Amino acid sequence: MAKKAKKQTARGRKQDRARVAGGQDYEVSYEAKKTGRSAASVKKAVKKVGNSRNQVEKRLGSVIKKSLGTTRSRSR
């Protein structure tokens, strides 16, 4: 009797999203654009704190701005 294949989960994908691959130009440029810093500073941050996206963003001191436009509160 053949062994059953292991059930695949989405765990790997979730883990990948939480990491910054310092050697991957796409990942570095994405994080640089997201944080408003240079690619070199992102690479330095990855070397210093590791590849955890949260730690890299904390190291860079980034404030992620959402471009939702200006919103005004309406008074009635």
Side-chain angles (χ1 to χ4, degrees), residues 33-47:
K33 184 178 178 183
K34 181 178 171 183
T35 59
R37 298 296 187 104
S38 68
S41 63
V42 172
K43 285 185 179 185
K44 284 182 184 178
V46 170
K47 282 186 178 183

Side-chain angles (χ1 to χ4, degrees), residues 5-39:
K6 290 185 180 181
K7 184 178 179 181
Q8 291 184 356
T9 63
R11 180 177 178 194
R13 290 186 202 151
K14 289 179 185 176
Q15 287 177 341
D16 287 345
R17 286 188 208 124
R19 306 283 181 227
V20 177
Q24 297 291 322
D25 290 335
Y26 173 78
E27 290 287 332
V28 173
S29 64
Y30 170 79
E31 195 63 37
K33 184 178 178 183
K34 181 178 171 183
T35 59
R37 298 296 187 104
S38 68

Side-chain angles (χ1 to χ4, degrees), residues 55-70:
Q55 292 297 318
V56 170
E57 289 173 0
K58 284 180 186 178
R59 177 76 182 175
L60 294 172
S62 65
V63 177
I64 302 168
K65 299 176 183 177
K66 294 184 179 181
S67 59
L68 298 176
T70 58

